[in-house]
Structures are given as structure tokens and as C-alpha cells.
């Protein structure tokens, strides 16, 4: 007579059973002392497209054969599939027997009581893990008041990062050798006075490295290094050229993230001050490209001018009613000059730097009140705003090198002449007309001896006026696009540099 024995488990389902010893059935099976390893898989929403990770927690759970199985990473084609069904099916095939799966999702904390496997009566605790990582594509809501209070924080961080970083500099073919040398063409003129200016006739160099309009050009103020030409462009770069010997680009500085509207040499010729539509001010070392001074301005910059006697102070103007005086030694604003205007077009220091002029866009229907404003530099007081009463804006101001007068380029297609002494009266008997401005920021410049006045034109021509008679001496067809600047060389008497709205720079002699 055969009999069967049936064993019943009297243990409570809410408690864990004591550890039982499982003998090895074959040498190929893996066993762990006193406990087996149960794989527990963790998923998170949005992570099914990536490779899953598994953590091993020792629990008392073995399959019917007594073998402890370890789940490895699923194949790559399962990990790359976005369907949760395929992933769960794969894991069920990997865990044969009565293995429990537990999943934890991000940002959910769950704990559950232990459950009993129906086959062998062995219980297992579900393990849940919380992750503090935010779900991709979802940003927390920030109240408007907090956004306004913290709006200036990223700007300060960006300014600090730019202070510690260097400017991106690209060297030319022979930039290191040509940057500090003295040109053989300039040496004969260094020991003598400036001779009579001659009108240029022929083209010497054609330079077209800029990919955008050139806003401003300037010769180096140091006579021994006056072969260097500085250019600022809408292509976000500032370039230094050898415009006397080779016509090559020696340096390219990429410090700005937007168009560079203004760039000026320092009096020593070793640094370059630049400002642009990214509202950033940079003082860059010419040789190394290191940013000596860098600051975030509150408005887009359109003009920069250094003080004639204090080389560490400059004035910055742009798309704002304010004009600011900065000190590069402290990186702080010294004074603020406020006017009821929207934009400052140009700044001009009068002799000795005690007073300066600003040209603005404030025009009315019949007059241009506040178009040109005179300021006291020390007290920031407004001296006069009744200087120019015609209904035209003045994009450029230039001081005569010898006489106590200055000129203003107007959008009325003429250059007006003013006295540089109070009350800054306009000369109604003399004006320089014949060229075209038509909304471009066309600049004008006197020759170093003060006998000629040169100006660009919106039709690409260059006009040479006699300063005393206001008559046109010569017209030069220099560019196809609008010529926005034309400047004489400070040492060589017949050398002229011009630039246009197409990004071209030309040297004439």
C-alpha cells in the first residue's frame, strides 16, 4: 500500500520564513552561501529608450530547481524599443519560476508589505527606489515676481565668465612679426613735420576679409605703429590689418556674440576697446587676445570715445537716454549723463576734455531740438541743447585738428560747421554739400593739416572738400556699396583708408 505525504506550511504570510539550506544539484549550477540573489529591475518614465540597469538584492528566493538566476542586461534591440510591453516580456522570460518583479518610477515613493509566492511559500519584500531627477522636457513653474527679481543673475554670471576667459584670436600669415615692427615707409616721416596733404588717386590695397558691413576703421595712434589699421564689422569680429606694407590681416578677435558697432585704439596702441549690439564692453590686449576689461552694459552700444587727456576713461553711448563714463581700472561707471532722447549716435570730446558733445536722434517735425547736446564732463551738467535747430539727425561729429571748430554730418546730405566754443553757433554761410547720406552712418574726417575734409557717400563715392572754401576738390569712385568711413593716415601725407557696407576695405594713395 502506497502512501503520500503532504506538507503544509503553517507560517504566517505577513512574516518572513527562516532560512533553509538548498543543496547543490549539479556542479554547473551557481549557489550563494546562506542566501540567494534575486534580481530587481528599476525603470523610470522616459527611460525605456535607454539601456536598463539592474541592482542585485539578496533575498530568499530560488526557483524550483534550486538554481539562483541572475538577470543580465537585455539585448540592445530591446533597450532601444520604446514599447514597455517588449521590455516586460523579456524580463519575464529571463526569470523562470516564481520570481517577483518590482518597478519604481521617478518622483514616486512607495513601500508595500511583503507578499508570498504561491508556489513555495517564500515571501519577498518589494523594493522601491525614488529618484530626484526631473523628467526631461518639463520645467517647474516660477512665479513672475521671482523671475523679475532673478533676471539680473544670469547676466552677472555671464559677465564674470567673460572676465576670466580670453578672446578668440586668429593669427594672420605674418602677424607676430608685423605687429610690432616699424614700417620702412613710415620711418622717413617720423622725424619731420606733417607735410601738405595730397588727394589720393590710385588704389594700393583691396582687403575683403570681413563677411559683413564694416562700421568703423581707425589708424593706430602711435606714430611708430601707424601701419596698423583697426576695423569693426557687423560679422561680430574686430580685425587688425597691416595696411601700409602688405595689406594682410594680422589679427581677428571674436569677443562679441553680436555685431560690433564701435572699436577704438587706446593711446598706447597695445589694447583695443570694442562694443556692440550684445551690450558687452571688451578691452582686449592686441598681442595675446586677453580681455583686460569686460563688462555687461545695460544697452546696445553704438559709439565709444576715449578721454583726450585721461587714457583710462572712456564714454559709451548707444540705444539709451543715458551716456556713461567708465574707468577701466576699476571696471565701474564714473558718471551718468541723462537726456530725454532714445539713442546716442556719436560722441565728440572738445579740446582738453572738459566738455563733450553728443548727437542724438531727437527730432521733431519742424526742428531738431536736443539733436546736439553739450555736456560738462566733471559735473555731468547739460550746458546747451540749442545748438542745431534743423530737422536732421547727425550720425557723425568731427573736431578740426587746429581750429576751434567742429563739423557735424547730417542726414540732409551736407556737413554743417560749428564753433567749438560756447555758445557753439552754427556757421550759416558755409556748408559742405554734394554727397549723399540717406540714412547711413556716414563718417567725415579732417586731414591732419586741416586743409581737407573727406567724407563718404551712400552711393559709394568719396568726396574731398576744401575746408576754407567748402568746394569739392575731387570725387573718388571708391566702392559699389555705401562708403561709411574715410580717414587719412596720421603720418603719411597721401594715404587714405575707406570702408563700405559690403565689408570691403581699400587703401588709396
Amino acid at each position: 500500500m502506497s502512501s503520500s505525504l503532504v506538507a503544509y506550511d503553517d507560517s504566517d504570510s505577513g512574516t518572513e520564513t527562516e532560512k533553509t539550506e538548498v543543496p547543490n544539484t549539479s556542479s554547473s549550477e551557481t549557489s550563494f552561501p546562506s542566501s540567494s540573489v534575486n534580481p530587481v529591475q528599476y525603470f523610470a518614465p522616459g527611460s525605456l529608450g535607454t539601456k536598463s540597469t539592474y541592482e542585485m538584492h539578496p533575498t530568499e528566493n530560488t526557483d524550483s530547481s534550486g538554481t539562483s538566476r541572475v538577470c543580465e542586461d537585455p539585448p540592445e534591440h530591446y533597450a532601444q524599443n520604446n514599447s514597455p510591453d517588449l521590455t516586460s516580456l523579456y524580463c519575464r522570460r529571463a526569470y523562470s519560476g516564481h520570481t517577483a518583479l518590482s518597478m519604481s518610477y521617478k518622483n514616486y515613493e512607495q513601500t508595500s508589505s511583503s507578499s508570498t509566492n504561491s508556489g513555495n511559500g517564500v515571501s519577498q519584500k518589494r523594493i522601491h527606489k525614488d529618484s530626484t531627477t526631473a523628467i526631461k522636457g518639463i520645467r517647474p513653474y516660477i512665479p513672475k515676481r521671482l523671475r523679475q527679481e532673478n533676471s539680473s543673475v544670469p547676466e552677472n554670471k555671464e559677465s564674470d565668465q567673460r572676465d576670466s576667459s580670453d578672446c578668440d584670436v586668429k593669427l594672420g600669415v605674418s602677424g607676430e612679426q608685423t605687429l610690432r615692427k616699424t614700417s620702412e615707409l613710415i620711418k622717413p616721416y617720423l622725424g619731420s613735420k606733417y607735410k601738405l596733404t595730397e588727394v589720393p588717386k590710385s588704389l594700393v590695397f583691396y582687403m575683403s576679409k570681413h563677411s559683413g558691413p564694416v562700421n568703423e576703421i581707425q589708424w593706430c595712434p602711435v606714430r611708430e605703429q601707424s601701419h596698423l589699421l583697426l576695423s569693426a564689422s557687423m560679422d561680430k569680429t574686430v580685425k587688425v590689418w597691416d595696411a601700409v606694407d602688405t595689406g594682410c590681416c594680422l589679427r581677428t578677435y571674436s569677443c562679441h556674440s553680436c555685431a560690433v558697432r564701435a572699436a577704438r585704439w587706446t593711446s598706447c596702441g597695445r589694447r583695443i576697446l570694442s562694443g556692440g549690439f550684445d551690450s558687452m564692453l571688451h578691452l582686449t590686449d592686441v598681442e595675446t587676445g586677453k580681455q583686460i576689461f569686460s563688462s555687461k552694459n545695460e544697452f546696445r552700444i553704438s559709439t565709444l570715445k576715449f578721454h583726450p587727456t585721461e587714457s583710462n576713461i572712456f564714454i559709451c553711448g548707444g540705444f539709451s537716454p543715458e551716456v556713461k563714463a567708465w574707468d577701466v581700472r576699476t571696471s565701474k561707471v564714473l558718471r551718468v549723463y541723462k537726456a530725454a532722447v532714445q539713442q546716442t549716435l556719436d560722441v565728440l570730446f572738445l579740446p582738453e576734455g572738459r566738455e563733450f558733445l553728443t548727437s542724438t536722434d531727437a527730432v521733431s517735425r519742424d526742428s531738431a531740438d536736443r539733436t546736439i547736446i553739450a555736456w560738462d564732463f566733471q559735473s555731468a551738467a547739460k550746458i546747451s541743447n540749442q545748438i542745431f535747430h534743423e530737422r536732421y539727425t547727425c550720425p557723425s561729429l568731427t573736431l578740426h585738428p587746429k581750429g576751434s571748430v567742429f563739423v557735424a554730418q547730417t542726414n540732409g546730405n551736407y556737413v554743417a560747421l560749428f564753433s567749438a566754443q560756447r555758445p557753439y553757433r552754427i556757421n550759416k554761410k558755409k556748408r559742405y554739400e554734394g554727397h549723399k547720406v540717406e540714412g547711413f552712418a556716414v563718417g567725415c574726417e579732417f586731414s591732419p593739416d586741416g586743409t581737407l575734409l573727406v567724407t563718404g557717400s551712400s552711393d559709394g563715392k568719396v568726396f574731398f572738400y576744401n575746408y576754407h572754401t567748402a568746394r569739392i576738390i575731387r570725387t573718388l569712385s571708391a566702392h559699389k556699396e555705401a562708403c561709411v568711413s574715410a580717414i587719412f593716415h596720421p603720418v603719411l601725407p597721401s594715404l587714405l583708408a575707406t570702408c563700405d557696407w559690403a565689408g570691403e576695405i581699400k587703401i588709396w594713395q
Side-chain angles (χ1 to χ4, degrees):
M1 181 176 178
S2 63
S3 62
S4 61
L5 297 177
V6 179
Y8 293 93
D9 189 4
D10 296 334
S11 61
D12 188 8
S13 60
T15 58
E16 294 185 1
T17 59
E18 297 179 356
K19 298 179 181 180
T20 58
E21 183 178 359
V22 180
N24 294 333
T25 56
S26 63
S27 60
S28 61
E29 296 175 347
T30 306
S31 62
F32 297 86
S34 71
S35 66
S36 62
V37 178
N38 177 46
V40 181
Q41 183 183 7
Y42 296 94
F43 290 95
S47 64
L48 293 177
T50 59
K51 193 172 182 179
S52 303
T53 57
Y54 299 84
E55 295 183 8
M56 316 309 294
H57 295 272
T59 57
E60 295 180 0
N61 189 10
T62 57
D63 56 7
S64 57
S65 61
T67 304
S68 301
R69 298 177 182 267
V70 178
C71 179
E72 299 178 352
D73 291 344
E76 187 175 0
H77 66 273
Y78 281 103
Q80 294 179 352
N81 197 328
N82 292 328
S83 175
D85 297 333
L86 294 178
T87 309
S88 60
L89 288 175
Y90 173 79
C91 294
R92 289 169 186 170
R93 288 197 301 268
Y95 299 109
S96 59
H98 305 284
T99 305
L101 297 175
S102 61
M103 299 170 145
S104 67
Y105 295 88
K106 295 180 178 180
N107 302 326
Y108 287 92
E109 291 184 356
Q110 296 180 354
T111 56
S112 63
S113 59
S114 59
S115 60
T116 307
N117 287 338
S118 59
N120 52 11
V122 180
S123 63
Q124 176 187 1
K125 288 185 178 181
R126 292 185 180 181
I127 301 175
H128 296 271
K129 194 174 184 179
D130 179 51
S131 176
T132 59
T133 306
I135 301 176
K136 294 183 179 179
I138 298 179
R139 293 186 300 177
Y141 172 75
I142 300 176
K144 183 178 180 180
R145 180 178 58 82
L146 295 179
R147 291 198 304 267
Q148 292 177 350
E149 292 178 356
N150 300 330
S151 60
S152 61
V153 176
E155 295 180 355
N156 296 333
K157 291 182 179 179
E158 180 182 357
S159 178
D160 296 339
Q161 291 176 358
R162 287 183 177 269
D163 289 342
S164 60
S165 62
D166 292 341
C167 183
D168 185 14
V169 182
K170 294 182 180 179
L171 303 180
V173 179
S174 58
E176 195 65 33
Q177 300 176 357
T178 314
L179 198 61
R180 288 300 166 196
K181 75 168 189 176
T182 301
S183 174
E184 296 295 332
L185 298 175
I186 298 177
K187 285 181 179 180
Y189 295 91
L190 294 177
S192 60
K193 294 183 180 180
Y194 187 87
K195 297 181 180 181
L196 183 65
T197 303
E198 299 177 2
V199 178
K201 299 179 180 179
S202 59
L203 179 64
V204 179
F205 295 118
Y206 170 79
M207 303 176 291
S208 61
K209 292 289 185 180
H210 281 293
S211 60
V214 179
N215 292 315
E216 189 175 17
I217 53 176
Q218 184 192 12
W219 294 102
C220 183
V222 181
R223 293 172 59 89
E224 291 78 11
Q225 299 169 6
S226 58
H227 64 287
L228 301 177
L229 181 70
L230 176 66
S231 63
S233 174
M234 300 288 283
D235 62 0
K236 309 176 186 179
T237 63
V238 176
K239 293 182 182 291
V240 175
W241 309 79
D242 181 3
V244 174
D245 295 324
T246 63
C248 297
C249 179
L250 306 180
R251 293 285 194 278
T252 300
Y253 306 94
S254 301
C255 303
H256 294 271
S257 59
C258 293
V260 183
R261 184 62 182 85
R264 307 293 296 180
W265 291 97
T266 57
S267 59
C268 62
R270 298 179 180 179
R271 300 170 182 176
I272 296 172
L273 177 67
S274 60
F277 290 165
D278 58 353
S279 304
M280 291 299 299
L281 289 168
H282 295 298
L283 184 64
T284 308
D285 187 88
V286 176
E287 294 184 353
T288 63
K290 183 179 180 181
Q291 295 180 12
I292 302 171
F293 164 81
S294 183
S295 179
K296 180 77 172 180
N297 203 27
E298 296 178 356
F299 51 83
R300 291 180 295 172
I301 300 165
S302 60
T303 179
L304 295 171
K305 290 296 172 60
F306 274 101
H307 195 277
T309 59
E310 300 181 19
S311 59
N312 293 315
I313 297 176
F314 68 91
I315 283 186
C316 166
F319 293 80
S320 173
E322 298 179 349
V323 176
K324 296 182 179 182
W326 289 76
D327 192 336
V328 297
R329 294 166 296 186
T330 60
S331 302
K332 295 182 179 180
V333 178
L334 295 179
R335 299 175 190 89
V336 178
Y337 310 85
K338 296 182 180 181
V341 297
Q342 295 181 354
Q343 181 183 357
T344 301
L345 303 178
D346 198 8
V347 175
L348 175 66
F349 274 101
L350 296 179
E352 299 180 0
R354 297 178 181 176
E355 301 172 0
F356 70 93
L357 306 171
T358 59
S359 63
T360 68
D361 65 344
V363 294
S364 59
R365 182 175 181 181
D366 298 326
S367 66
D369 187 22
R370 303 184 304 276
T371 299
I372 299 178
I373 304 175
W375 302 86
D376 184 88
F377 178 74
Q378 293 294 336
S379 64
K382 189 182 300 182
I383 299 174
S384 175
N385 61 354
Q386 304 292 326
I387 300 174
F388 186 59
H389 296 281
E390 299 188 24
R391 56 183 180 88
Y392 302 112
T393 58
C394 302
S396 175
L397 302 174
T398 303
L399 185 67
H400 194 275
K402 295 183 178 181
S404 182
V405 295
F406 71 92
V407 294
Q409 179 80 269
T410 70
N411 278 307
N413 298 330
Y414 67 91
V415 177
L417 182 65
F418 298 86
S419 172
Q421 297 178 354
R422 300 182 187 181
Y424 316 107
R425 289 195 177 99
I426 185 173
N427 190 338
K428 297 181 180 180
K429 297 181 180 180
K430 186 186 297 185
R431 64 168 54 179
Y432 308 86
E433 55 186 346
H435 61 283
K436 298 179 181 179
V437 179
E438 297 177 348
F440 288 94
V442 177
C444 57
E445 190 79 19
F446 282 104
S447 60
D449 60 353
T451 58
L452 296 179
L453 175 65
V454 60
T455 177
S457 180
S458 61
D459 56 4
K461 296 180 180 180
V462 178
F463 286 78
F464 298 90
Y465 294 95
N466 186 302
Y467 164 65
H468 299 285
T469 64
R471 294 181 179 178
I472 299 176
I473 299 176
R474 184 180 177 85
T475 301
L476 184 65
S477 298
H479 300 272
K480 296 180 180 179
E481 299 290 336
C483 179
V484 295
S485 182
I487 54 174
F488 283 101
H489 194 275
V491 178
L492 299 177
S494 61
L495 201 66
L496 180 76
T498 61
C499 64
D500 68 353
W501 202 246
E504 298 176 354
I505 301 174
K506 295 183 179 181
I507 308 298
W508 305 84
Q509 188 175 11

